[in-house]
Amino acid sequence: MKTKETIISKITNTDADALIFAKAGEIIRGSGLVAFPTETVYGLGADALDANAAKGIYEAKGRPSDNPLIVHIGEKEDLYKLAENVPDKALALADAFWPGPLTIILPKKDVVPYSTTGGLDTVAIRMPSHPVALAFIRESKRYIAAPSANTSGRPSPTNAGHVAEDLNGRIDMIIDAGAVTIGLESTIVDLSEEHPLILRPGYITKDMLEAVIGTVDIDPGILSEKGRPKAPGMRYRHYAPKAPLTIICGDEEDVIGDIRNRCQDAKEKGKRVGVIATAQTCEKYDADVVKNIGDRNNNLSIATHLYDVLRFFDTTQVDVIYSEGFDDANLGQAIMNRLLKAAGHNVINLCEGDIS
Ligand code: TXA
Ligand code: MG
């Protein structure tokens, strides 16, 4: 339901942008909601220390209120204003990766309201590197609580058009700075307990974290369909396209052959088929819709297109979708984590002979 006028302001990288940040700051200080770009995905921002403003985020997104928000800061030192018992490892990670796509979880200070942390005694903190995000946070003179700026259950927005699709009429402002550069949400590392734990894989990989602070584990809850992830938001089934999505993993030639056969079968049954392929393979399929998700040899190009492709299939009439699987090393781990969630862990692994 449309309830308010949403101002949509385009960043021009000229002096005129100052007016946009001034307006956005005014909205934030008045308990309003502003969507803004970060290097990962667009966020939906509100004053993190204003319990009512944070509630507004849950309402606009239709998000369960036990799912905590990430607090975005404009200066590294702000970490100490929001978190208690900051360990040396947190500082080392902040020095190595902030500003950037890393969220750190620590025990919260009393100033952070429970409506921001979903009732938890910990707080998630991130200093983004996108210059527009930093300017917006600094100009607002507040800490900015921001989940991804999508309605709950839809893929995170990677451009301002995605935000408008979901939230136009429900929020006060969208700052449009074009497409983001990473396309998948930040890596979340939990330092609130003795052993560092990755709760959500992202652009900053396990190896990169371990190079700075030593051993880091991955939350076992995110590795299988039946696990219970520690991050509340990782428990929900996300991004599921309307048509069932199946991922086919294996050697490239086998995968192509298998998907081609499935396309043929589906067609014979009168079904419309969508395929998610790469620049290297998209010519090989004769499906109703073939989407090129990016360059198979460049994970970042796949990451930046993933959510746009999933959104595309929500507006395209297909009965089934088949996707090629991707190498899950480094950034590939985050790509496969999101793709598996979209597919409800519906995977066929040709290497293991699992063609059930
Ligand atoms: O890249 C990103 O992180 C983007 C941009 C806007 O910064 N934000 C983002 O926020 O992805 P959101 O709300 O869509 O995802 C935040 C995740 C959720 O899974 C939430 O459950 C988890 O972080 N989280 C937040 N605070 C937490 C806490 N204290 N303990 C455990 N998980 C937490
Ligand atoms: Mg999200």
Side-chain angles (χ1 to χ4, degrees), residues 8-10 35-37 42 149 157-168 174-180:
I8 302 182
S9 300
K10 231 183 166 72
F36 64 100
Y42 273 70
T158 52
N159 60 50
H162 293 163
V163 180
E165 227 169 78
D166 285 11
L167 297 174
N168 199 9
I174 300 172
I175 303 177
D176 177 359
V180 302

Side-chain angles (χ1 to χ4, degrees), residues 148 150 156 238:
S148 48
N150 49 282
S156 294
H238 266 225

Side-chain angles (χ1 to χ4, degrees), residues 216-353:
V216 177
D217 292 323
I218 295 188
D219 176 7
I222 67 168
L223 296 177
S224 76
E225 190 188 357
K226 295 193 176 69
R228 182 176 162 82
K230 192 170 178 202
M234 298 292 279
R235 290 177 204 147
Y236 303 112
R237 182 165 177 210
H238 266 225
Y239 331 124
K242 288 176 192 140
L245 165 64
T246 305
I247 307 167
I248 317 290
C249 294
D251 294 336
E252 187 172 314
E253 286 310 311
D254 295 346
V255 169
I256 293 168
D258 187 80
I259 294 181
R260 284 172 62 101
N261 288 339
R262 285 169 196 278
C263 289
Q264 194 58 40
D265 284 356
K267 272 196 169 164
E268 280 164 16
K269 291 179 185 135
K271 290 185 176 170
R272 277 181 62 82
V273 190
V275 172
I276 300 176
T278 53
Q280 285 82 356
T281 58
C282 60
E283 299 289 323
K284 313 251 176 177
Y285 302 106
D286 176 28
D288 296 287
V289 186
V290 180
K291 282 298 275 184
N292 171 3
I293 196 172
D295 177 351
R296 182 163 275 285
N297 301 320
N298 177 355
N299 272 343
L300 190 56
S301 86
I302 294 174
T304 49
H305 294 119
L306 176 60
Y307 289 149
D308 193 45
V309 167
L310 292 177
R311 277 179 181 262
F312 168 84
F313 276 114
D314 265 353
T315 57
T316 307
Q317 181 45 50
V318 288
D319 301 302
V320 283
I321 307 167
Y322 296 111
S323 175
E324 297 177 2
F326 304 102
D327 181 8
D328 65 1
N330 301 316
L331 180 57
Q333 186 174 38
I335 293 169
M336 284 308 285
N337 169 262
R338 309 310 195 272
L339 192 59
L340 282 163
K341 279 174 73 154
H345 287 264
N346 191 9
V347 189
I348 291 165
N349 197 331
L350 301 175
C351 287
E352 291 168 6

Side-chain angles (χ1 to χ4, degrees), residues 1-8 33-36 42-45 56-63 147-152 154-155 157 160-174 311:
M1 192 180 58
K2 247 188 154 189
T3 54
K4 54 171 95 173
E5 199 61 45
T6 303
I7 304 167
I8 302 182
L33 303 178
V34 176
F36 64 100
Y42 273 70
L44 176 59
I57 289 181
Y58 290 100
E59 232 171 76
K61 280 186 57 112
R63 175 178 173 118
S148 48
N150 49 282
T151 44
S152 205
R154 295 213 73 202
H162 293 163
V163 180
E165 227 169 78
D166 285 11
L167 297 174
N168 199 9
R170 303 171 72 95
I171 62 177
D172 299 291
M173 185 175 188
I174 300 172
R311 277 179 181 262

